Amino acid sequence: MATEILMPALSPTMEEGTLAKWLVKEGDTVSSGDIMAEIETDKATMEFEAVDEGTIGKILIAEGTEGVKVNTAIAVLLEDGESADDIDTAAAAPEAAPAADAGNEAAPAASEAPATPAPEAPRTDSTPDWPEGTTLKQQTVREALRDGMAEEMRRDESVFLMGEEVAEYQGAYKISQGMLDEFGAKRVIDTPITEHGFAGIGVGAAFGGLRPIVEFMTFNFAMQAIDQIINSAAKTLYMSGGQMGAPMVFRGPNGAAARVGAQHSQDYAAWYMQVPGLKVAMPYSASDYKGLMKTAIRDPNPVIFLENEILYGRSFDVPDLDDYTVPFGKARIWREGTDVTIVSFGIGMSYALAAADKLAEDGISAEVIDLRTLRPMDTGSVIKSVMKTNRCVTVEEGWPQGSVGNYISSVIMQEAFDYLDAPVINCTGKDVPMPYAANLEKLALVTTDEVIAAVKQVTYT
Amino acid sequence: MAPRKSAKKPNVSAEELKAYYRDMLLIRRFEEKAGQLYGMGLIGGFCHLYIGQEAVVVGLEAAAEEGDKRITSYRDHGHMLACGMDPNGVMAELTGREGGYSKGKGGSMHMFSKEKHFYGGHGIVAAQVPLGAGLAFADKYKENGRVTFTYFGDGAANQGQVYEAFNMAALWKLPCVFVIENNQYAMGTSQQRSTSSAEIYERGKSFGIPGEAVDGMDVLAVKEAGEKAVAHCRSGDGPYILEIKTYRYRGHSMSDPAKYRTREEVQKMRDERDPIEQVRSLLLTGKHATEDDLKAIDKEIKTIVNESAEFAKESPEPALDELWTDIYATEVPQEA
């Protein structure tokens, strides 16, 4: 059957082009791969090759014609035994590309919703993290984190820890102390200093059925590996239509330590929180470090676990339970209050709680919420609290533009606008690279005094 | 060292030769059809064709065993067909349809098959190299005797993460065959203009990784080299590098005007070195097959490819709620 040769699309954006030159004439035989014409697109002049073999029966568009739409018939190809006389009856109409406007159907039906009623308080899970009467022990964040990892490694042979200095050195920050002795060199693996490479090997191992814990000595160095974290770990489940993904944990200290300068003092909470496919935990207390780490290791998705060097040595109550886990997406209300909601996570909680103590002395009752995980984020608990207090201050160490607080503010505006008695204030680190000088570094970080000042501003006191 | 070539009178059965001919022809015809569908607007975005390089994957698949893994870049259609993935599912992914391997959500560059141990399909140049080493890491950890073929191009060979992966693969003796598909052009930049050394496989030397160059237009040479590499990896001696010198007839992607090389250069390669023609000639001169036998294979392939195109046109676009699925897993998929 004679087939029409159609004007090809030769780039992702081409809609029409110029048929610059025919390199074949009527009656010529062509075989697959032969160059038939030169076509000028918006970008370049391209050669156009034959796909099928046959004889050029008729050239329909003369060379030099401009503005030839993609999919216009430009020539007719005859198979063996056909003649040009067959042309009129041959060649079906060009097949159209699928309609590109199908996406319109996906437009949200929000405009059809009735006039907005007063929003109901969201349903939240406010069950305590451990049952009343549980024995508590004092543990540092460092110990709790190690216990969390070690318990999961005892439970599941496919879990292993890799990173710089995690084995023989016992961890650059002593997080993995004793783990090499217990689990051996097969499962506690010192890597060379090669973040991009070992992050990729970790993701590949997760594709291959293992459950890696990849430690970055700090998250500052994970910038070298961020392509593997986002493009390979976070997106593969989606790109594979659900066939395979990367169940694993990327962990390490994040944010400022002390006096280590700009390149070693950055908070990545807002960066990773933006990425669909990742889960992000940023705990404050030792019990959460343990409980969230165990949940992270069991989670079938890539989890970013943002720790804090300054918190490693702090002690908290940790429940003395055999298998203590904390679910993702459940905030913890550390302190109930009525006048203002202070929302934070990670080390920001130190400032939030200290501010709440001082504010209480001034008769201001602050409710303090620890988000614990940023993706999923328990915005329901924040909204519920703001509906009660009508005011909100967010606290974080990261930079102000595109901060976690910015996102929370936007959620509050959309879901509890009518409840707000003052604009939400985001207390953040200053919009500068971290300076080294002690006095300047102090100035660059968010402080308890700034949180207090923000609360006074939103409560008009 | 001159690239490995097959023996003048290779020790190969008629059945094997016919299978290579058929598998290479399937890739070529499939890719030509893909190019055609792209021209019709049925395939969008980027589309990187494998035409000219068919002997690389067909030769190496002949050296693989069941359960071995493979991972590659965005020029991935040939690898998928060679490891036995269904042409219908591949073509339907190219057209972004529900019947595609990734339900239309991955596209030409992002396809996977747990069943066939094909781990993608990766769009970031060289990202698949540490990933492939990681797959091999998992196999070594599980002590299952499997080998991973990690494919990348001469362009990717200039990315730093390749050498990070080489270092760890050698250090930990990972069962990984690093396959450098040297098609001589990194997009439009020739090897001479981008790469300080002429022999890329030699770069493994500083890591203690053995390697060799192979004539990538000679499917039997590729298979022979692949067998040697696989045996090395499987015996626990760590990774192996194959630099397979091949040639891409088409542009880097569909929108490549190919101003960086002459038409004569491409034509000469097609006329003198074509991998499919070489096998065809072996089949005919060795009297392993008649013209009619080969015509029958051509016909069979044409039917498969046409069916895949029909399937890819008729398969519906993904349901709109697919936008929101497969972002998070609720349970860990079982290892195939």
Side-chain angles (χ1 to χ4, degrees):
Chain A
M1 193 184 82
T3 45
E4 287 187 341
I5 297 169
L6 306 179
M7 180 72 169
L10 294 169
S11 83
T13 49
M14 175 176 166
E15 289 173 3
E16 58 177 43
T18 300
L19 210 166
K21 192 173 178 190
W22 276 108
L23 299 168
V24 291
K25 57 186 189 304
E26 291 177 4
D28 282 0
T29 55
V30 293
S31 56
S32 152
D34 287 351
I35 296 150
M36 293 193 295
E38 285 180 359
I39 288 169
E40 220 174 288
T41 72
D42 50 344
K43 289 186 186 158
T45 302
M46 309 265 299
E47 291 169 346
F48 176 44
E49 296 179 5
V51 177
D52 298 310
E53 62 274 0
T55 307
I56 301 292
K58 195 171 175 65
I59 284 175
L60 302 172
I61 303 283
E63 66 180 31
T65 310
E66 291 177 11
V68 183
K69 296 262 185 269
V70 166
N71 276 332
T72 309
I74 55 175
V76 178
L77 190 70
L78 302 172
E79 281 186 25
D80 284 355
E82 289 178 330
S83 80
D85 303 336
D86 299 333
I87 286 171
D88 288 344
T89 54
E95 287 167 81
D101 59 359
N104 290 346
E105 293 165 39
S111 56
E112 291 165 26
T116 327
E120 281 176 38
R123 242 173 264 153
T124 58
D125 175 5
S126 52
T127 53
D129 284 344
W130 53 78
E132 215 171 321
T134 304
T135 313
L136 300 175
K137 58 180 180 188
Q138 281 275 303
Q139 248 193 337
T140 60
V141 163
R142 174 177 285 114
E143 292 160 344
L145 192 47
R146 183 206 49 215
D147 286 358
M149 286 194 287
E151 283 178 24
E152 291 309 298
M153 286 179 69
R154 282 172 212 133
R155 191 177 162 267
D156 182 351
E157 277 285 319
S158 67
V159 180
F160 68 96
L161 173 67
M162 73 190 299
E164 293 154 11
E165 310 294 4
V166 299
E168 297 199 0
Y169 195 96
Q170 307 290 320
Y173 296 100
K174 298 282 176 280
I175 302 301
S176 51
Q177 198 148 28
M179 288 176 68
L180 174 64
D181 282 348
E182 179 174 356
F183 300 104
K186 181 184 174 186
R187 298 181 66 195
V188 181
I189 302 156
D190 279 326
T191 64
I193 303 171
T194 178
E195 286 84 6
H196 196 183
F198 73 68
I201 286 182
V203 177
F207 288 171
L210 301 183
R211 312 296 302 261
I213 305 171
V214 172
E215 174 176 314
F216 293 114
M217 193 181 288
T218 82
F219 262 93
N220 300 289
F221 314 141
M223 269 206 281
Q224 301 228 37
I226 202 164
D227 174 65
Q228 292 290 5
I229 296 172
I230 294 174
N231 272 320
S232 303
K235 296 180 185 172
T236 295
L237 186 75
Y238 197 79
M239 296 191 302
S240 69
Q243 283 187 77
M244 62 181 76
M248 64 190 301
V249 178
F250 297 99
R251 52 156 290 266
N254 166 64
R259 309 291 311 279
V260 290
Q263 292 181 338
H264 286 66
S265 312
Q266 187 173 334
D267 175 8
Y268 292 89
W271 286 41
Y272 291 111
M273 182 188 83
Q274 227 236 339
V275 184
L278 292 180
K279 293 190 177 181
V280 182
M282 187 153 163
Y284 166 60
S285 72
S287 60
D288 287 345
Y289 268 92
K290 182 177 183 183
L292 290 169
M293 176 50 74
K294 284 165 66 75
T295 302
I297 293 168
R298 291 180 200 181
D299 198 283
N301 298 285
V303 178
I304 303 287
F305 202 89
L306 300 170
E307 303 163 8
N308 188 282
E309 189 190 330
I310 291 166
L311 292 177
Y312 280 154
R314 290 214 193 145
S315 292
F316 296 81
D317 284 341
V318 177
D320 198 4
L321 295 169
D322 277 348
D323 188 16
Y324 176 68
T325 60
V326 174
F328 282 4
K330 183 187 171 201
R332 175 172 172 188
I333 297 170
W334 276 75
R335 184 181 175 123
E336 293 199 358
T338 52
D339 299 332
V340 62
T341 302
I342 304 178
V343 183
S344 190
F345 49 91
I347 196 169
M349 283 299 297
S350 326
Y351 310 112
L353 289 169
D357 282 344
K358 286 199 178 158
L359 287 162
E361 293 167 15
D362 294 338
I364 296 171
S365 160
E367 181 145 300
V368 182
I369 297 179
D370 179 356
L371 290 171
R372 305 200 283 196
T373 60
L374 302 175
R375 181 180 265 272
M377 187 188 284
D378 183 4
T379 51
S381 286
V382 176
I383 297 295
K384 200 170 167 182
S385 176
V386 169
M387 284 178 168
K388 177 172 70 172
T389 64
N390 311 112
R391 295 165 167 89
C392 184
V393 168
T394 65
V395 186
E396 70 196 285
E397 226 180 44
W399 288 313
Q401 192 166 338
S403 65
V404 178
N406 287 172
Y407 174 69
I408 296 168
S409 307
S410 128
V411 173
I412 295 173
M413 270 210 292
Q414 289 174 51
E415 295 183 21
F417 186 74
D418 292 339
Y419 289 84
L420 283 175
D421 285 345
V424 178
I425 294 182
N426 301 143
C427 293
T428 65
K430 308 306 178 294
D431 203 9
V432 297
M434 188 62 74
Y436 167 70
N439 62 333
L440 295 182
E441 185 185 58
K442 211 170 156 192
L443 206 56
L445 290 163
V446 66
T447 63
T448 302
D449 286 346
E450 285 165 0
V451 179
I452 292 170
V455 168
K456 295 210 163 165
Q457 199 177 327
V458 300
T459 53
Y460 308 110
T461 49
Chain B
M1 184 173 80
R4 178 193 288 261
K5 287 186 183 302
S6 58
K8 281 269 181 306
K9 287 194 173 164
N11 182 19
V12 58
S13 75
E15 285 320 302
E16 281 173 85
L17 270 182
K18 269 195 258 184
Y20 304 152
Y21 176 77
R22 183 197 169 280
D23 291 352
M24 289 195 288
L25 196 67
L26 172 63
I27 295 172
R28 175 137 332 159
R29 295 287 173 258
F30 182 94
E31 293 291 65
E32 286 165 354
K33 183 59 82 178
Q36 191 182 28
L37 296 188
Y38 190 93
M40 293 162 71
L42 285 157
I43 296 172
F46 297 123
C47 185
H48 308 89
L49 301 181
Y50 198 65
I51 296 172
Q53 301 182 210
E54 297 91 344
V56 182
V57 289
V58 170
L60 288 176
E61 284 297 337
E65 281 180 12
E66 176 54 35
D68 289 344
K69 299 180 168 72
R70 59 284 287 165
I71 186 167
T72 188
S73 71
Y74 43 81
R75 194 177 307 285
D76 55 357
H77 315 159
H79 304 70
M80 294 188 276
L81 296 173
C83 75
M85 286 167 66
D86 177 10
N88 289 7
V90 179
M91 197 68 97
E93 190 60 38
L94 297 185
T95 54
R97 304 303 176 90
E98 185 186 273
Y101 265 97
S102 299
K103 299 189 272 188
K105 288 155 58 161
S108 161
M109 300 188 285
H110 310 299
M111 266 182 268
F112 305 79
S113 167
K114 201 120 202 177
E115 186 201 347
K116 299 291 180 191
H117 311 286
F118 179 75
Y119 288 82
H122 294 271
I124 305 296
V125 173
Q128 77 275 20
V129 181
L131 293 172
L135 290 166
F137 178 96
D139 286 333
K140 186 176 160 90
Y141 191 96
K142 295 180 191 166
E143 298 171 17
N144 61 11
R146 301 274 60 93
V147 165
T148 298
F149 293 88
T150 300
Y151 293 88
F152 57 103
D154 48 302
N158 289 324
Q159 288 274 25
Q161 60 182 321
V162 169
Y163 302 96
E164 299 189 26
F166 278 7
N167 183 40
M168 284 178 279
L171 196 62
W172 299 333
K173 293 200 181 314
L174 303 180
C176 186
V177 184
F178 293 108
V179 183
I180 303 165
E181 293 195 64
N182 182 353
N183 67 17
Q184 305 178 37
Y185 292 91
M187 198 166 160
T189 306
S190 68
Q191 188 187 339
Q192 292 87 324
R193 295 200 300 124
S194 66
T195 304
S196 61
S197 50
E199 308 295 339
I200 306 177
Y201 73 91
E202 287 186 339
R203 293 183 177 183
K205 268 187 192 164
S206 60
F207 301 92
I209 307 177
E212 65 171 300
V214 185
D215 176 355
M217 310 307 270
D218 176 348
V219 70
L220 299 176
V222 175
K223 176 187 175 242
E224 202 177 276
E227 284 168 343
K228 185 177 167 196
V230 166
H232 176 91
C233 292
R234 238 189 276 286
S235 69
D237 291 340
Y240 199 92
I241 295 171
L242 295 176
E243 180 190 350
I244 305 196
K245 309 226 185 215
T246 181
Y247 198 77
R248 132 171 89 65
Y249 296 173
R250 294 291 189 94
H252 164 72
S253 67
M254 295 304 294
S255 48
D256 176 352
K259 292 300 171 210
Y260 47 84
R261 62 184 182 187
T262 62
R263 194 177 289 171
E264 289 69 35
E265 178 184 310
V266 182
Q267 199 54 48
K268 189 170 155 60
M269 197 57 100
R270 290 184 110 134
D271 291 346
E272 297 172 7
R273 310 267 320 276
D274 187 78
I276 300 176
E277 284 306 317
Q278 288 192 45
V279 173
R280 186 184 164 84
S281 150
L282 278 177
L283 280 165
L284 293 174
T285 54
K287 307 221 180 301
H288 298 300
T290 63
E291 287 279 2
D292 281 349
D293 293 339
L294 299 185
K295 265 199 179 143
I297 295 176
D298 294 358
K299 202 175 159 199
E300 179 215 340
I301 295 297
K302 200 168 184 178
T303 307
I304 293 171
V305 168
N306 285 339
E307 275 175 14
S308 78
E310 281 313 304
F311 178 80
K313 288 180 205 166
E314 280 163 22
S315 177
E317 290 189 294
L320 296 182
D321 59 7
E322 277 296 340
L323 181 66
W324 300 104
T325 65
D326 305 321
I327 298 162
Y328 291 102
T330 48
E331 57 189 64
V332 182
Q334 288 304 301
E335 176 65 359

